[in-house]
Amino acid sequence: MKLKNKIHISSTLLMLVILVVLAVVIYFSFSRLTYSTEVTQLQTETNALVAEFNKVERTDPSTVLRAYVPVDGIVQVTTPDNKKMSPIQSPSVTIELPTDLEEQSGTLTIKGKQFAYVKAPLIWTDGDVAEVTVAQSLHETTNNLTTLRLVLLVGTLIAMIPVVISSIVLGKIVTLPITNLTTTMTRIQRNGKFEKLLIERDSHDELAQMGSTFNEMISLLEENYSKQEEFVSNASHELKTPLTVIGSYAKLLQRQGMQDKEIAEESIAAIRAETDRMKALIDRLLHIARRSESYVDWTEVDAYSLLEQTVTAMNTAYDREFKLVAKKELLPIVTDVEKFKQLLYILLDNARKYSSDKVEVIVEQNDHLAIRICDRGIGIPKESVPFVFERFYRVDKARSRDTGGFGLGLSLAKQLADSLQISIKLESIEHVGTTVSLVFTEDFNVEEVYSKQEGL
């Protein structure tokens, strides 16, 4: 069953139940009040009868009793010896009162007709105390209540007309955004094109929020899809260049390289260089691709010892001055040793590539442990700083190619920092230098990775 039909049926049934319950409560409350009023009125008339009867001569009691017979009523006297006198009643009343009336007043049903009755003591003609029972037909009251039932029934049916119409309109209003959402999703699935829903700006209800959330999700998917396309395009472009070089030198070797030793050696060297470059690129791409499925082996280690090993290795490998500056020689942390060392190698290698002076690794521990890798190199332009963690982003493509960069190092460093729950921050001034900070929070919850330029 469709949602709008469920809303229509459920709201209609709910309103019908409410109206029926309300009508029943009104009817029974009104009928009870009406019967009670009739009984009270009959009680008053009976009291007047008794008072008048006790005042007059008792030679002919029927005279007084006849004067107080209610319209469509009956007066019955029962003597002290439990004998019933002949009832005095209206011509329209043909019933006999039962002898087993337990209550002093109330209503009773005789032959399908409602009567109100009242019993009262009466001093009879011989001075004994008799009992008088006065009853009155409730025919008019019953007719009025029948009319009330009919009015309530018709009123309920008439009230259901706008309820049915409003439930149909409500069902359409509620399901229209959902229908639009489903239609849009089906169209996206069929056409492969991202679309957004039209949302009324003045509306702030849940349906509008659902539409806004859907549009935000579509924007995110579109952005990720664009990034994926850009990633594939950039990767293809980066792979195409070395393959073109390799192909060109292979053709050169095929044409004349075998006879010319110098050209052969040049070609082989170029092919090896481009092969190594392509291998490095593929390794970086594999690191990035495996990020989501990588396992983090948390271990408590000494950060100072890891930093010292890394700095020593970099000094030996590149014959450059990498200086470790730390006030303490014991810095316990919980991390994945291999990933942490890989993160340090990426940042130190970047600092080495883009500076000719020494590279300092400064350890600070105030509220949190912070490791700052500082170089005095060419720095990064202000407008490029916010994008340096994006894949394949290179500040200067020519400069990156000279240094063998692909624009993947900092992107991989960001991912490693994320997996190790380390906050990473980059500050740079062009022609002055760059500082990359790794900050360990107390609970090792990663803060949002961000970058900024000094002076901003």
Side-chain angles (χ1 to χ4, degrees):
M1 182 182 292
K2 292 184 177 180
L3 179 59
K4 65 179 181 181
N5 292 333
K6 289 182 180 179
I7 294 174
H8 169 54
I9 293 174
S10 59
S11 60
T12 301
L13 289 178
L14 178 62
M15 287 304 300
L16 179 62
V17 170
I18 292 174
L19 289 176
V20 168
V21 170
L22 186 62
V24 170
V25 171
I26 291 174
Y27 173 76
F28 280 101
S29 300
F30 185 78
S31 61
R32 189 168 184 176
L33 178 64
T34 303
Y35 285 139
S36 177
T37 303
E38 292 292 335
V39 172
T40 302
Q41 186 176 353
L42 187 60
Q43 178 73 59
T44 304
E45 294 175 0
T46 302
N47 292 340
L49 183 152
V50 171
E52 183 65 22
F53 186 86
N54 291 335
K55 285 193 297 185
V56 300
E57 293 293 336
R58 300 186 178 100
T59 54
D60 188 8
S62 61
T63 304
V64 179
L65 296 176
R66 192 177 300 280
Y68 282 90
V69 173
V71 178
D72 295 333
I74 183 171
V75 174
Q76 176 75 58
V77 176
T78 303
T79 59
D81 54 357
N82 207 24
K83 289 183 179 179
K84 289 189 176 181
M85 304 297 292
S86 297
I88 301 172
Q89 57 193 60
S90 301
S92 59
V93 178
T94 58
I95 54 106
E96 292 183 3
L97 291 175
T99 56
D100 54 349
L101 296 175
E102 296 180 356
E103 301 293 335
Q104 286 299 111
S105 62
T107 59
L108 72 159
T109 303
I110 303 175
K111 295 181 180 179
K113 296 182 180 179
Q114 286 283 332
F115 286 87
Y117 73 92
V118 173
K119 294 192 297 184
L122 183 73
I123 299 176
W124 196 238
T125 55
D126 55 1
D128 292 334
V129 177
E131 185 179 67
V132 61
T133 304
V134 181
Q136 183 178 9
S137 174
L138 297 176
H139 178 70
E140 291 297 329
T141 304
T142 304
N143 287 340
N144 291 337
L145 291 176
T146 301
T147 303
L148 176 62
R149 284 201 300 270
L150 182 61
V151 169
L152 289 174
L153 177 62
V154 173
T156 301
L157 293 177
I158 293 175
M160 286 303 297
I161 295 175
V163 169
V164 172
I165 296 174
S166 62
S167 65
I168 293 174
V169 175
L170 177 65
K172 288 185 178 179
I173 292 175
V174 171
T175 57
L176 181 61
I178 299 175
T179 303
N180 291 337
L181 176 63
T182 305
T183 304
T184 304
M185 292 174 70
T186 304
R187 201 161 49 240
I188 291 173
Q189 187 179 16
R190 187 183 301 121
N191 301 332
K193 296 180 179 179
F194 295 101
E195 295 182 29
K196 293 183 179 178
L197 295 174
L198 294 176
I199 302 174
E200 295 181 7
R201 294 182 179 179
D202 298 334
S203 180
H204 300 286
D205 56 15
E206 288 80 0
L207 294 175
Q209 291 177 0
M210 183 186 70
S212 300
T213 303
F214 175 80
N215 287 344
E216 291 173 3
M217 184 189 68
I218 288 296
S219 298
L220 182 61
L221 288 174
E222 190 172 10
E223 181 182 352
N224 289 336
Y225 185 76
S226 299
K227 286 183 177 179
Q228 184 180 359
E229 282 188 327
E230 184 182 2
F231 176 81
V232 174
S233 175
N234 290 334
S236 301
H237 177 75
E238 291 295 334
L239 288 171
K240 184 179 178 181
T241 302
L243 286 174
T244 302
V245 174
I246 292 172
S248 300
Y249 276 105
K251 289 179 182 177
L252 183 63
L253 277 175
Q254 192 175 26
R255 287 199 305 269
Q256 53 183 329
M258 297 302 178
Q259 290 76 31
D260 191 332
K261 185 179 178 181
E262 185 178 348
I263 291 178
E265 289 179 349
E266 178 187 346
S267 300
I268 291 172
I271 289 172
R272 287 194 58 184
E274 292 302 323
T275 303
D276 292 342
R277 175 179 166 76
M278 194 165 58
K279 182 181 176 184
L281 172 61
I282 292 173
D283 286 343
R284 290 287 175 88
L285 292 175
L286 287 176
H287 274 297
I288 294 173
R290 290 170 182 164
R291 169 183 171 262
S292 59
E293 55 189 44
S294 62
Y295 170 73
V296 179
D297 183 15
W298 297 104
T299 309
E300 184 172 354
V301 293
D302 179 22
Y304 181 85
S305 175
L306 293 178
L307 289 170
E308 193 174 35
Q309 293 173 20
T310 307
V311 168
T312 302
M314 293 296 290
N315 274 323
T316 304
Y318 297 103
D319 194 22
R320 286 277 304 275
E321 185 181 359
F322 291 86
K323 186 177 180 181
L324 176 61
V325 181
K327 294 181 179 178
K328 296 182 179 178
E329 295 187 356
L330 183 61
L331 301 168
I333 59 171
V334 177
T335 188
D336 185 305
V337 176
E338 295 302 322
K339 292 183 183 299
F340 183 62
K341 291 173 82 171
Q342 186 182 2
L343 173 62
L344 292 175
Y345 281 130
I346 291 173
L347 298 179
L348 289 172
D349 190 49
N350 254 26
R352 174 192 67 81
K353 287 177 182 176
Y354 300 108
S355 70
S356 56
D357 203 346
K358 66 179 179 182
V359 176
E360 288 186 330
V361 180
I362 302 172
V363 180
E364 298 175 352
Q365 188 164 26
N366 297 317
D367 294 337
H368 305 294
L369 173 64
I371 300 171
R372 308 192 193 284
I373 299 171
C374 308
D375 68 67
R376 297 180 178 80
I378 56 180
I380 300 173
K382 175 181 176 181
E383 62 274 11
S384 298
V385 171
F387 308 105
V388 292
F389 290 114
E390 293 182 3
R391 293 171 184 169
F392 290 108
Y393 181 81
R394 291 183 297 197
V395 177
D396 185 336
K397 293 184 178 180
R399 183 178 69 180
S400 298
R401 184 165 290 280
D402 292 341
T403 57
F406 303 102
L408 294 174
L410 286 177
S411 174
L412 181 58
K414 173 181 176 294
Q415 293 179 359
L416 287 169
D418 280 346
S419 64
L420 296 176
Q421 301 180 353
I422 300 172
S423 172
I424 184 170
K425 181 171 62 175
L426 186 145
E427 299 167 293
S428 183
I429 297 178
E430 196 170 10
H431 306 303
V432 174
T434 301
T435 298
V436 179
S437 302
L438 302 176
V439 181
F440 294 77
T441 56
E442 285 183 352
D443 53 2
F444 290 92
N445 288 329
V446 65
E447 297 177 357
E448 185 179 0
V449 178
Y450 65 97
S451 60
K452 69 175 185 179
Q453 182 162 357
E454 287 181 2
L456 290 177

